[in-house]
Amino acid sequence: MELATVMDRLAVDEVVTEYAVAVDDGDWAAYRELFTADGRADYRSAGGIEGEAGQVAGWLAGSLEPFAMRQHLIVNRQVRFGILEHDTGDTAQVRADYLNPMRFAGDGGSGAPDLVCGGRYAFGLLRTAEGWRLRRVAVEERWRRMPERGPAAVPG
């Protein structure tokens, strides 16, 4: 494997990690900056919307506001580089599984997640003058679980 390919793999992996951190931290400006000007995201399988990155960032901000804690774990990343205009490595496709525990605000600090979901991401990236950017993100939610709550603790 060539050094340039290794460097591209690391850069693409960093974009995917930055995506997860931006969503978990609610940093919607950083989220938007990860996308190309024509970048789109599709969250319909998780009950969301599909649209341009800025529009989707607004929807995510509202939808995720009730959750004080969010923690994307994006694993099993498969990276494939593609060809654009007869050059190699101008595009990348990443398929990765995710696990996402979330806890509602005002949960009393139990630490246990109120909602856990999992599925698969499909990321499409493009090499730009600014580096690798997301052109497309598609979420395929495969499962969702809301753990049962036990009886409320009585303050002692």
Side-chain angles (χ1 to χ4, degrees):
M1 186 177 293
E2 294 183 23
L3 179 59
T5 303
V6 172
M7 297 302 292
D8 280 336
R9 282 185 177 274
L10 290 171
V12 164
D13 189 68
E14 180 66 19
V15 171
V16 171
T17 298
E18 288 176 6
Y19 165 88
V21 170
V23 172
D24 291 345
D25 290 351
D27 188 344
W28 307 117
Y31 177 93
R32 288 183 198 94
E33 289 175 15
L34 292 170
F35 285 83
T36 60
D38 63 346
R40 299 184 71 79
D42 184 350
Y43 290 83
R44 290 177 292 182
S45 77
I49 65 169
E50 187 279 332
E52 61 89 17
Q55 174 191 15
V56 172
W59 173 81
L60 283 170
S63 297
L64 297 177
E65 186 176 1
F67 297 100
M69 184 278 295
R70 302 184 292 267
Q71 186 178 33
H72 275 78
L73 305 172
I74 301 178
V75 299
N76 300 335
R77 300 175 193 203
Q78 295 177 317
V79 179
R80 303 288 182 261
F81 291 102
I83 298 173
L84 181 66
E85 297 179 12
H86 308 291
D87 293 327
T88 58
D90 290 331
T91 64
Q93 302 297 320
V94 178
R95 189 174 84 169
D97 297 326
Y98 71 88
L99 175 67
N100 185 14
M102 296 184 281
R103 186 176 64 236
F104 287 114
D107 192 22
S110 71
D114 296 303
L115 173 80
V116 182
C117 58
R120 180 163 287 162
Y121 278 113
F123 296 98
L125 294 94
L126 178 69
R127 184 195 311 272
T128 71
E130 295 80 32
W132 287 97
R133 294 291 182 266
L134 295 167
R135 201 173 198 183
R136 179 182 60 84
V137 174
V139 175
E140 179 190 343
E141 186 176 274
R142 294 185 172 181
W143 59 272
R144 181 179 290 200
R145 178 172 55 94
M146 297 185 80
E148 292 184 30
R149 294 178 173 265
V154 178

